[in-house]
Amino acid sequence: QVQLVESGGGSVQARGSLRLSCAASKNTFSTYYIGWFRQAPGKEREGVAAIGVNGRTTYADSVKGRFTISRDNIGNTLYLQMNRLEPEDTAMYYCAAGSVPYYVLPPLREADFGYWGQGTQVTVSS
């Protein structure tokens, strides 16, 4: 069973930065691809970034060049460094893991992730 616990959310002004963390149960990264999703009020949940077992990464177009996903394999922690934040980035951010077979890059589709954390809120003010 995979357990995921997010932290690091908060309030920040536009163009500021935040780093989200996701503590994962042991050996998660060697078995599952893992990623970040977000859901704004009134909108569907969308994929933000994912990292595969082999370290390859996938990003949503809206965050490319601003967000960076990384992981600490020893500490079993996933990170999302978010720079140049915009009010449109305001959302609940979720950490998720999955194991559906994929080709080259990890997926970023909600249906391909079976384990989810509880989320951490990010609010960006203009």
Side-chain angles (χ1 to χ4, degrees), residues 59-96:
Y59 291 92
D61 288 342
S62 59
V63 306
K64 282 182 182 176
R66 300 189 299 125
F67 291 10
T68 302
I69 188 171
S70 63
R71 68 187 183 203
D72 173 359
N73 292 332
I74 296 175
N76 299 303
T77 304
L78 178 75
Y79 299 102
L80 184 68
Q81 177 66 45
M82 305 185 294
N83 298 327
R84 304 202 311 275
L85 283 160
E86 304 166 353
E88 293 74 24
D89 296 315
T90 294
M92 184 71 79
Y93 282 72
Y94 299 90
C95 176

Side-chain angles (χ1 to χ4, degrees), residues 3 20-21 26 39-41 46 50 60 72 76 79 82 97 112 117:
Q3 293 185 327
L20 304 183
S21 300
K26 191 176 180 182
Q39 187 168 22
E46 62 174 355
D72 173 359
N76 299 303
Y79 299 102
M82 305 185 294
D112 293 328

Side-chain angles (χ1 to χ4, degrees), residues 4-80:
L4 304 166
V5 180
E6 303 94 336
S7 63
S11 297
V12 64
Q13 290 190 326
R15 296 177 296 283
S17 298
L18 276 177
R19 188 176 79 158
L20 304 183
S21 300
C22 173
S25 44
K26 191 176 180 182
N27 296 324
T28 296
F29 300 156
S30 61
T31 305
Y32 301 88
Y33 50 79
I34 190 164
W36 291 96
F37 286 74
R38 66 186 181 186
Q39 187 168 22
K43 294 187 177 181
E44 294 186 351
R45 189 151 54 183
E46 62 174 355
V48 174
I51 184 167
V53 173
N54 60 3
R56 298 289 293 269
T57 57
T58 303
Y59 291 92
D61 288 342
S62 59
V63 306
K64 282 182 182 176
R66 300 189 299 125
F67 291 10
T68 302
I69 188 171
S70 63
R71 68 187 183 203
D72 173 359
N73 292 332
I74 296 175
N76 299 303
T77 304
L78 178 75
Y79 299 102
L80 184 68

